[in-house]
Each structure stands twice: as structure tokens, then as C-alpha cells.
Amino acid sequence: MTRQINPHGLEKLKQWEGLKTKAYKDAGGVWTIGYGHTAAAGTPAPHQGMVITEADAESILLKDLTQYEAAVENNVNVKLNDNEFAALVSFAFNVGINAFKNSALLKKLNKGNFDAVPSELMKWVKAGGKKLQGLVNRRRAEGYLWMEGAYVASKDVVPEQKTVHPVLKPEVIGPVISVASGLTGFATGSGPFQWALAAVMVIGVAIGSFYFIKRLREAEL
């Protein structure tokens, strides 16, 4: 059985695609309905005056996604957690299977370069030779989905969590930020020990912020 996109990823994809229950012509003049469904994806063929329900739209989307889910499963040679799989399904759904299969993103990923994916996604933000803010936003969101540490395990795959830098772990950075936010009152106490500990707290926050911002900037390059 082909692996399926997880509920979290599906909800994200639906948000990015947007729902239209009445058929319309897209920017290329193609009749479209539901969550970006066109006749090229299979039945039903959208036409002028066609109207469907939200439930119909989701049913059509799930059917349309099977070919993209299969493309990701059959062409990625490394183990993916559910959010990583969902991000690639969304990407393939948007750019097309052939573009996905021939992308540098896929080549780098299959060599084990997981960190290259967010930046490679950001190279796919043009349509008709023009950079579109909508595509920039979608690629950025797919990159964030890719980098999310949490996942919803599928019934067939139990993926491994990716290693998180110790400084970025919630149990480390959370208390540091909490304490650092109250340093004004803390530092007013007497004694060199309090000031030394306060300095350590500030350094900890600075290091954590550096790694977090660096990761986000890499995803948007």
C-alpha cells in the first residue's frame, strides 16, 4: 500500500491550495475546481457552472494525491518522517511529478543531504519567469513543515526523530528564556554570583537565537 500524506500535512496542503467549490479558470485558462483539481489530474473534468461540496473537494483531492504520494515514495531513497514526506508531496503536487523527479532537491536528498531541502524548495518560486509572492510563501511554509520536529506517525511507518541541537531543545531554551526575561529584577540583587549567572543566561539565549535564526535564513536563501 502506498504511503499517504499525514493529517497535519493534508491540512497544510489544503490551506495552501485553497478551496473553490465552483469551477473557475485559473491563470492559464484551465478549468479548475476544489483544491486545485483540473481534468489533467483525472475525473471529474471541471467545466463552466460545475459546483461541488467541500466533502467532494476533499475526496477528489485525496484521489489526486495518490500519484504524487507514489512519486515521492518511489523516488526518494532515504527514510522520511511524516512531515518530511508531506512537504515533498505538497511540492510535487504543485510543480508536477516530472519536475520533482528531475530536481536538484531530490538528487541532494537521495545523497543524504536533508538540510539542503529547505533552500532547494526556495528555488521554485517562479511561474512564467516571474517570481510570485504566493509561491515564495508556499515554499517557505513547506520548508517549515519539513523542519518540524514533531510528526504524526503513519500506521505503516514509524520514522526516527531528527537530532535537535542541544541548545534548541525546549527543556533547555525554555527555562533560559524564562529566567532571562526576569533578569532585571534578578540582577538587582547583591553579589557577584548573581551577576555571573545572569551573564551565563544571556549568553545561552544569544547562542540559541543564533542557531534558530541561522536555520531559518538557510531555508529562505
Side-chain angles (χ1 to χ4, degrees):
M1 180 179 177
T2 302
R3 185 176 179 180
Q4 296 178 322
I5 191 171
N6 64 343
H8 180 53
L10 179 62
E11 286 306 309
K12 293 288 186 181
L13 189 150
K14 288 163 66 176
Q15 291 174 18
W16 301 331
E17 287 293 332
L19 171 63
K20 299 290 185 182
T21 56
K22 184 176 180 179
Y24 66 98
K25 285 187 176 181
D26 65 10
V30 178
W31 282 106
T32 308
I33 201 167
Y35 295 103
H37 173 78
T38 66
T43 57
H47 54 81
Q48 185 174 11
M50 182 178 181
V51 177
I52 61 175
T53 65
E54 183 174 349
D56 292 333
E58 179 162 344
S59 178
I60 294 170
L61 174 62
L62 292 176
K63 180 174 67 69
D64 288 350
L65 282 175
T66 57
Q67 58 186 305
Y68 301 96
E69 292 164 337
V72 173
E73 184 173 35
N74 295 334
N75 289 282
V76 174
N77 301 325
V78 294
K79 183 180 291 187
L80 302 175
N81 71 33
D82 281 4
N83 281 345
E84 291 166 341
F85 180 79
L88 294 188
V89 170
S90 172
F91 173 60
F93 185 77
N94 186 238
V95 304
I97 292 175
N98 287 335
F100 168 70
K101 290 169 65 175
N102 295 315
S103 66
L105 180 154
L106 180 61
K107 293 180 177 65
K108 291 182 179 181
L109 176 60
N110 279 338
K111 291 181 180 179
N113 191 351
F114 284 76
D115 292 336
V117 172
S119 58
E120 286 297 324
L121 284 171
M122 296 307 299
K123 295 178 181 179
W124 295 80
V125 295
K126 293 182 179 181
K130 295 183 178 180
K131 185 176 182 179
L132 301 181
Q133 188 59 45
L135 288 178
V136 171
N137 294 342
R138 177 163 180 163
R139 294 288 95 84
R140 184 179 294 143
E142 288 168 345
Y144 288 149
L145 177 59
W146 173 269
M147 293 187 293
E148 282 184 21
Y151 60 85
V152 180
S154 68
K155 65 184 180 65
D156 297 316
V157 180
V158 182
E160 297 178 357
Q161 286 275 31
K162 294 180 72 174
T163 302
V164 178
H165 192 285
V167 168
L168 297 181
K169 289 184 177 180
E171 60 267 31
V172 175
I173 197 67
V176 171
I177 293 175
S178 177
V179 173
S181 65
L183 282 181
T184 303
F186 176 79
T188 56
S190 59
F193 175 75
Q194 289 176 304
W195 281 103
L197 186 56
V200 171
M201 295 296 183
V202 172
I203 293 172
V205 172
I207 293 175
S209 300
F210 170 78
Y211 278 102
F212 183 69
I213 294 172
K214 179 181 178 184
R215 190 73 179 273
L216 292 183
R217 285 181 176 175
E218 288 176 348
E220 296 181 9
L221 290 178

